[in-house]
Amino acid sequence: MQPVRLGLVGIGKIAVDQHLPAIAANAGFRLAATASRHGQVEGVDAYAHIADMIAVARLDAISLCTPPAGRHALALTAIEAGLHVMLEKPPAVTLSQVEALVGAARTAGVTLFATWHSREAAGVAPARAWLLDKRVEAVRIHWREDIRRWHPGQEWILGPGGFGVFDPGINALSIASEILPHQLVVESATMDVPQGRASPIAATLTMRCGLAEVRGEFDFLQTGPQDWSIEVDTDAGTLRLGMGGALLQLPGEAERPADDQEYPRLYERFANLIARREIDVDMRPLQLVADAFLIAERRVTDPFIF
């Protein structure tokens, strides 16, 4: 079988750090072209715009690594050209945009894959399996990182549609919605928005999983040790996920070792979906963020400068 001829759109930090190595390691894909205003890949045909790439390059699929704002139009361009599409997280800036893409992909008969890379972390699947027959009593989510370290100069992330602290925070919500046995429901929220910015730099969420309270704390101004952890209190003890889901500790057991195979697993999944022409789009993490934006108490804080 011939490899899928892939076009990569948006050659930024996430593409360089994660997508390119995963594509190179998967024999089912061949990187045939890129489209980006700011980056190129040596030895690969490069275009400034996705429409130019699609018009000239012979492609089967597109992987979109651009910021979420504008991604709907890019994905729709690819779908209408008959190409399979893989979306970085979050898949778009609104729920209606994602729903429209799902409808377009069904009409075109192509694969649409909205990825949640943190769900592919080593500890997530075994955590979900362990929790299946447990009673959840409380959940604590801590997602605290340094915006200047992980998103240097990315002004868009605090702008309209940039998600702010929920750009990383949605990773936590993608894990929680995957491993917990009941649908998460947002009850209240606060958002700290720097003066002159549109998206929060810190936030808290109070949610429910059945009768259990789920408390989420998200902070983009964390200095020192970074913290991406989830603790789940159950009738059988406390489950702990650390390092964004890579590390898992079950009650009475030693911490399980991590691996770094999130993006290789995503591309393996994309290949399988393409082979079956299936759609895989779970909007639950985006729904939780949208609910938070709807009901949050917004507090204006000091201006933020990168």
Side-chain angles (χ1 to χ4, degrees):
M1 181 179 295
Q2 293 296 314
V4 173
R5 295 166 299 197
L6 184 70
L8 190 63
V9 182
I11 309 302
K13 180 175 173 55
I14 194 67
V16 172
D17 291 350
Q18 300 291 349
H19 287 262
L20 290 175
I23 294 165
N26 192 318
F29 291 96
R30 179 174 69 83
L31 183 59
T34 66
S36 178
R37 291 176 294 176
H38 306 296
Q40 298 182 10
V41 177
E42 185 177 356
V44 178
D45 291 342
Y47 302 84
H49 303 288
I50 187 173
D52 296 333
M53 180 178 69
I54 291 173
V56 177
R58 293 179 63 245
L59 300 174
D60 304 305
I62 294 287
S63 181
L64 287 174
C65 307
T66 59
R71 194 178 291 159
H72 168 262
L74 297 173
L76 189 59
T77 297
I79 290 169
E80 292 185 344
L83 302 178
H84 308 290
V85 175
M86 174 171 162
L87 302 169
E88 249 294 348
K89 63 84 195 170
V93 295
T94 68
L95 295 167
S96 60
Q97 287 180 350
V98 182
E99 288 175 345
L101 291 177
V102 170
R106 286 197 180 116
T107 298
V110 299
T111 289
L112 179 66
F113 181 26
T115 67
W116 300 106
H117 68 82
S118 290
R119 287 181 173 176
E120 302 298 336
V124 173
R128 181 179 184 275
W130 188 82
L131 287 168
L132 280 176
D133 60 351
K134 308 299 187 298
R135 184 180 71 248
V136 174
E137 298 174 344
V139 182
R140 294 171 297 280
I141 299 170
H142 297 146
W143 228 254
R144 303 168 177 143
E145 65 179 57
D146 185 349
I147 186 174
R148 293 184 174 94
R149 175 178 174 185
W150 301 102
H151 306 274
Q154 294 181 3
E155 297 284 348
W156 62 266
I157 209 167
L158 293 175
F163 286 74
V165 75
F166 286 110
D167 180 79
I170 204 169
N171 294 334
L173 299 176
S174 74
I175 293 173
S177 58
E178 178 74 3
I179 68 173
L180 295 174
H182 302 291
Q183 179 84 15
L184 285 169
V185 177
V186 178
E187 292 192 326
S188 63
T190 65
M191 293 185 183
D192 294 340
V193 182
Q195 183 179 345
R197 303 284 188 171
S199 294
I201 202 157
T204 63
L205 287 185
T206 300
M207 298 171 282
R208 288 283 169 185
C209 170
L211 297 177
E213 182 177 271
V214 180
R215 174 80 173 178
E217 298 182 2
F218 308 90
D219 190 359
F220 242 163
L221 298 176
Q222 175 81 355
T223 58
Q226 309 290 280
D227 184 7
W228 304 283
S229 61
I230 298 175
E231 294 182 337
V232 184
D233 295 338
T234 77
D235 56 342
T238 298
L239 174 151
R240 294 179 175 85
L241 283 168
M243 289 300 294
L247 299 175
L248 171 64
Q249 186 170 24
L250 298 176
E253 296 184 11
E255 189 173 71
R256 300 188 185 187
D259 62 18
D260 186 18
Q261 295 296 310
E262 292 179 17
Y263 280 83
R265 291 187 186 110
L266 288 179
Y267 276 95
E268 187 65 30
R269 172 70 174 156
F270 189 32
N272 291 334
L273 290 170
I274 290 172
R276 299 192 297 268
R277 290 184 174 264
E278 292 180 353
I279 293 172
D280 183 354
V281 176
D282 181 2
M283 292 196 291
R284 287 178 297 167
L286 184 58
Q287 287 172 333
L288 294 170
V289 173
D291 287 351
F293 269 85
L294 278 172
I295 68 172
E297 173 193 354
R298 295 172 67 90
R299 306 182 298 205
V300 178
T301 60
D302 293 337
F304 175 81
I305 299 174
F306 278 95

